[in-house]
Amino acid sequence: MRHGFTCVIAAAVLVAAPMAAAAQVSASPRTVDGRPNLQGIWQVLNTAAWDIQDHPARLGVPAGQGVVDRGVRTIYTDGTPHPEGSINWWMGDSRGRWEGNTLVVDVVHFTDQTWFDRAGNFHSDGLHLVERFTPAGPDHINYEVTVEDPAVFTRPWKMSMPFYRRKEANVRLLEYDPGLLLDQEQAERERRTTR
Amino acid sequence: MNNLYLGLAIALAVTASSPRAAGQQPAAPATVGGCPAEPLAFHNCALEKAKTFQPPRTATGKPNLQGYYRNRLAQAFSVEGVSGSEPLVNDRIMPWTLAPPMIVDPPDRKIPYQPWAAPIGRIGENYSKYLDPRTACGSGGVPRLALQDPNQILQPSTDDYVLWLFEDHHVHRVISMNGRPPLGDAIKMTNGDSRGRWEGNTLVIDVTNLNGYTWFDDSGNFYTNAAHLVERLTLIDPDTIHYEVTVEDRQGYTRA
């Protein structure tokens, strides 16, 4: 009898599991106005910071597969258009809209001074991005960006990667103050230098 | 309580859309938000107005502070004010402007420095020997950002954060409204760790974990990394926020 009893429990668990997974997706958090709530601390788990393309390992750089086929950004979601150019902003001008559950962000008015990665992949000031943030459950966002820049690329191309929600208790973004850090580095160097 | 605090009050007024030459400071107004522009008189008048003014509300019923602001009372030179006896008033390159103190408490309207700290902060060693931390692209820190920088307050509809964005170097403050636990003491930051709450119509922000590298003003007035700040932001009319910050610093200040 004990054996039979255990089987019933196991079956119930098997049935319940897929339902729980489905419920998890639909239970993605919402803001009070009903939009997907994308707030949180997110991180990618890939090597795109070194190189957005396939790359072998180098000293200090882990090998990684490409992601081809991140200051403060204000993304306006009030339906206003891009201001008239030409404007050269480090972060561009971002205008967002909702397509169903997806936040679609159109970005123009860049400088030509930024890179995609540490490998030096670059763009002109004519760069046009369309970013798509789609919730894929409470702790994942599928991020996709279409890159268009006729002055540098022969055709539009895409990168795609999941964002993972940081789940540590009390996780938060801390500060990176380059002015202060440069001062400290300089003071440290002077302390080490014998005169 | 043997540690002294310092109360600073200013008005953050909605940025007027009237055309103005870029970089030009607005002329000192006679009144701000219906209160006198002298900081102490403004402070007392604003406390009275706040008792009766009903601020606009967000969709979730919180006081709606959102908008673009800049300070209308403070000058950048010194929170202790600039008097006619100050030689820098006659500086040939960048003369300082005469101004009343922004400090509203203690009554002598001076920072209550401990003996070691006064010769550093009061147009002292900081001013004569060191570069202003802002010149190396550092953040102005708290409260200097609010005193000197055009800024924007955002209140996401989830009510778990208030965002305070500043024009300077993408500097932003994320003010947690969800009662998250404080950080450990070993983590020190230029803008500190900000945790907010609503007290009636007032946004009250506790700031801890400060690294003590920032100044209040151009003259080098400062607090140490032991400082604890309490900021209070209250709308006193649809376009004016009364901003008050109390600075406690056992290491740098003392009750006279």
Side-chain angles (χ1 to χ4, degrees):
Chain A
M1 283 308 291
R2 276 182 70 88
H3 184 72
F5 184 73
T6 308
C7 281
V8 171
I9 297 291
V13 169
L14 281 171
V15 170
M19 288 171 65
Q24 215 176 21
V25 173
S26 60
S28 292
R30 299 266 163 183
T31 60
V32 288
D33 52 0
R35 303 292 189 194
N37 183 353
L38 304 182
Q39 295 187 113
I41 297 183
W42 302 87
Q43 198 158 13
V44 294
L45 291 171
N46 62 29
T47 59
W50 286 282
D51 195 333
I52 59 172
Q53 303 191 76
D54 285 347
H55 56 277
R58 299 195 301 278
L59 199 58
V61 180
Q65 291 176 291
V67 292
V68 178
D69 184 296
R70 165 219 93 79
V72 179
R73 283 179 59 191
T74 301
I75 301 172
Y76 294 90
T77 53
D78 56 1
T80 49
H82 292 295
E84 268 184 53
S86 86
I87 307 171
N88 292 141
W89 279 329
W90 292 96
M91 310 295 280
D93 181 74
S94 300
R95 305 283 155 170
R97 63 182 189 275
W98 290 95
E99 288 182 5
N101 284 337
T102 300
L103 175 64
V104 183
V105 185
D106 196 281
V107 202
V108 294
H109 299 327
F110 284 99
T111 73
D112 60 2
Q113 300 292 304
T114 60
W115 291 356
F116 288 101
D117 51 29
R118 297 183 192 183
N121 285 304
F122 70 100
H123 55 80
S124 77
D125 61 3
L127 176 68
H128 172 216
L129 301 179
V130 180
E131 301 171 283
R132 300 177 64 86
F133 299 77
T134 308
D139 297 326
H140 298 87
I141 292 174
N142 286 330
Y143 173 79
E144 181 186 287
V145 55
T146 303
V147 182
E148 191 182 30
D149 187 348
V152 180
F153 309 119
T154 55
R155 46 160 284 191
W157 54 280
K158 279 186 188 180
M159 290 185 278
S160 178
M161 62 195 79
F163 290 173
Y164 302 87
R165 187 190 295 277
R166 293 280 298 265
K167 297 286 281 185
E168 300 96 316
N170 201 23
V171 64
R172 68 187 71 186
L173 284 179
L174 297 175
E175 189 176 76
Y176 190 86
D177 186 346
L180 173 67
L181 297 173
L182 277 168
D183 281 355
Q184 288 176 335
E185 173 68 23
Q186 181 65 27
E188 181 67 12
R189 197 176 298 125
E190 283 168 10
R191 196 184 60 75
R192 285 195 305 259
T193 307
T194 49
R195 294 176 193 277
Chain B
M1 203 172 98
N2 61 3
N3 54 308
L4 193 67
Y5 66 97
L6 154 72
L8 275 172
I10 60 162
L12 285 165
V14 166
T15 307
S17 56
S18 56
R20 208 177 263 135
Q24 194 183 334
Q25 289 290 324
T31 62
V32 173
C35 284
E38 195 286 318
L40 180 56
F42 173 83
H43 176 63
N44 292 325
C45 168
L47 289 175
E48 280 306 308
K49 277 187 170 265
K51 288 178 185 167
T52 53
F53 178 67
Q54 287 305 316
R57 301 275 164 185
T58 65
T60 55
K62 301 287 189 286
N64 190 347
L65 306 182
Q66 297 186 104
Y68 296 88
Y69 296 92
R70 79 174 296 163
N71 177 13
R72 298 298 303 280
L73 295 190
Q75 33 71 35
F77 307 109
S78 171
V79 292
E80 294 190 332
V82 181
S83 74
S85 61
E86 172 51 58
L88 289 160
V89 170
N90 300 313
D91 190 87
R92 270 184 291 179
I93 298 165
M94 201 181 81
W96 287 17
T97 309
L98 295 178
M102 284 180 273
I103 296 166
V104 297
D105 189 75
D108 70 357
R109 306 183 72 181
K110 300 265 185 218
I111 297 176
Y113 285 120
Q114 290 182 18
W116 69 268
I120 297 173
R122 187 165 287 139
I123 320 182
E125 208 175 315
N126 271 351
Y127 184 79
S128 58
K129 280 180 66 177
Y130 296 101
L131 280 177
D132 184 330
R134 297 199 79 158
T135 54
C137 305
S139 163
V142 185
R144 195 174 179 188
L145 284 164
L147 301 186
Q148 298 187 358
D149 286 71
N151 57 82
Q152 181 184 14
I153 296 174
L154 286 166
Q155 294 167 242
S157 61
T158 44
D159 283 336
D160 44 4
Y161 295 99
V162 171
L163 306 177
W164 202 348
L165 315 182
F166 298 88
E167 188 180 70
D168 182 66
H169 288 100
H170 293 280
V171 173
H172 64 288
R173 292 176 58 192
V174 178
I175 298 148
S176 158
M177 300 296 289
N178 56 12
R180 71 183 177 188
L183 284 173
D185 284 343
I187 299 177
K188 300 288 191 187
M189 295 182 287
T190 301
N191 297 319
D193 182 36
S194 295
R195 301 159 74 233
R197 62 186 186 274
W198 294 102
E199 276 183 14
N201 293 333
T202 301
L203 172 61
V204 183
I205 310 169
D206 266 288
V207 191
T208 56
N209 300 84
L210 292 156
N211 64 20
Y213 280 102
T214 59
W215 295 356
F216 284 106
D217 51 35
D218 296 2
S219 65
N221 283 305
F222 72 105
Y223 51 73
T224 74
N225 64 4
H228 166 220
L229 275 53
V230 180
E231 299 170 280
R232 301 176 63 88
L233 287 84
T234 316
L235 278 166
I236 58 163
D237 77 13
D239 293 337
T240 310
I241 291 174
H242 172 216
Y243 174 82
E244 184 190 345
V245 56
T246 304
V247 184
E248 282 184 281
D249 183 356
R250 288 161 201 277
Q251 225 163 264
Y253 307 156
T254 179
R255 178 72 88 175

